[in-house]
Amino acid sequence: MSLSQEMTSRKPPGLRLFGGASSLRTYQTLVLVLTFFAYTCFHMTRKITSIVKSALDPQTKVGFSHWGRLHVSKSNALNIGWLPFNTVDGSALLGEVDVAFLAVYSIGMFFAGHIGDRMDLRIFLTIGMIGTAVFTTLFGAGYWLNVHSFYYFLVIQMLSGLFQSIGWPSVVAVVGNWFGKSKRGLIMGIWNAHTSIGNIAGSLLAAFLLKFGWGWSFAIPSLIMALVGLMVYIFLPVNPELMEIDIDSGEFNCEKDTVKEPLLEPGQEVKHKAVGFLEAWRIPGVAPFALCLFFSKLVAYTFLYWLPFYISHTRIGGQYLSDAMAGSLSTIFDVGGVLGGVLAGHISDRLNARAITAASFMYCAIPALFLYRTYGSMSIMWNISLMFITGMFVNGPYALITTAVSADLGTHSSLNGNSRALATVTAIIDGTGSVGAAIGPLLTGYISSKSWSAVFTMLMAAALLAGLLLTKLVCAELKGKTPSDASTDVTDAQGTYSDEV
């Protein structure tokens, strides 16, 4: 089989059937739309269990902490709910299911990136989506099959976490293939809104379907995800080379024997081996950004899991809010996060300084956290305003690092034109961050029983450490921008890392 025939056979079947798109911009739009809805579905299905907990264990209210073992009521088992979760240990069991999910998700992320750089990302992402849909459905199938074994639900969630880990490295790698560095931060900042939209969609859909039986809250979102996964398989173009497009000129490449590498220097050939796991760790900038995300995600996920509970248990304007109201109010944090992601991406593009932007946001998150804890209880308006600002500064660097920074480092100049590290680098960075995402809420469960002020102190310390971990990269970027270095035309901060780190 010739190279031309091989490339044609690897094109998405839908694009082969309909003849493909007419321009680079059309392909880029298709990639953004498909990957946006794909990862929206991942977050939509991930959010379901936090809503359904109120039906499985009536002691766990909507918006209550994922880490219920620390707040278990020692009353008798209830006659409502679902065994084994409606017993005195029900909240603890649900907490163990969550810990198992996040643990497998974090570990799986490292392997998913390694595999993703070695196979067709369209097929790999489809496997992740269909697998997630299947195991999310099987969790809900316990409702119709009358399953009451704790280990059934535990194993199903662990396998779901494994397939969920495929999603992020795959979508970031695909988007990174299609967009140059100059506007990557802004584009990915807007694109990253899928996280919040998926969370909101999952919450609303699962809550609406609960009245028909909690199994439907899993089944219908899973069906939606499977359908979107099918669209990904049929239409998603993985990279410009496969579609025979020169990303620099936006024109179709007629020279099919030499396919050019996107986002790098023109003229470099694609024939490269995938980067190894340890080699990816040694790429300048990967380790500090991964460790920064560990603490950044620790803060973000603590808010994700605990904010509704904190709001409902804190006097705001002299009164306590209902659980439903607290859950609705907590979405303001996500709204602020959307703006934060867009701003961080845009600012980092304009300054050409990812590390400076991420570190600045993390430092600004420290006073924002302090003000929210101190003055957020004065009134609803104060709470909304300060929560919005906190969400903006907390989620801004989180969104920037998991998207634009990961794509930048996956095509780092030290790789000498080898871009087959996007998925591995993304997995390393987000996988390390996911460990922090599991630890933060768990620590909060222990600390909050003593003092919420201590929780916020922990979060402020984590934000400080996140910023400090980027100090060397910040200095490298600042050095590259000093007038004395202007004559050397140091315009690529990521290239500066290779000299300074």
Side-chain angles (χ1 to χ4, degrees), residues 22 28 47 75 102 138 150 162 184 186 191 301 303 308 324 338 348 389 479-480 501:
S22 58
Q28 289 176 325
K47 187 68 176 178
S75 58
L102 284 172
L138 287 175
F150 167 71
L162 183 63
R184 186 185 280 169
L186 176 60
W191 172 76
Y301 269 65
F303 270 86
V338 172
S348 70
I389 294 171
K479 183 179 179 181
V501 178

Side-chain angles (χ1 to χ4, degrees), residues 252-268:
F252 287 92
N253 185 7
C254 297
E255 298 180 7
K256 297 177 182 178
D257 292 331
T258 57
V259 182
K260 294 183 179 180
E261 197 71 38
L263 312 178
L264 297 171
E265 294 299 326
Q268 294 171 332

Side-chain angles (χ1 to χ4, degrees), residues 12 36 43 82 90 113 139 171 198 222 225 242 252 262 270 277 311 332 345 350 370 379 401 405 434 466 474 487:
F36 182 93
H43 264 268
W82 194 265
F139 194 102
V171 296
S222 297
M225 185 170 197
L242 192 62
F252 287 92
V270 163
F277 181 77
I311 293 173
I332 299 298
R350 293 295 297 271
F370 176 79
S379 68
I401 294 171
V405 169
S434 295
V474 169
S487 59

Side-chain angles (χ1 to χ4, degrees), residues 38-46 125 129 132 163-164 167 225:
Y39 209 69
T40 295
C41 288
F42 275 105
H43 264 268
M44 178 180 67
T45 52
R46 195 180 305 175
L125 180 57
M129 296 187 71
T132 298
F163 282 97
Q164 281 263 358
M225 185 170 197

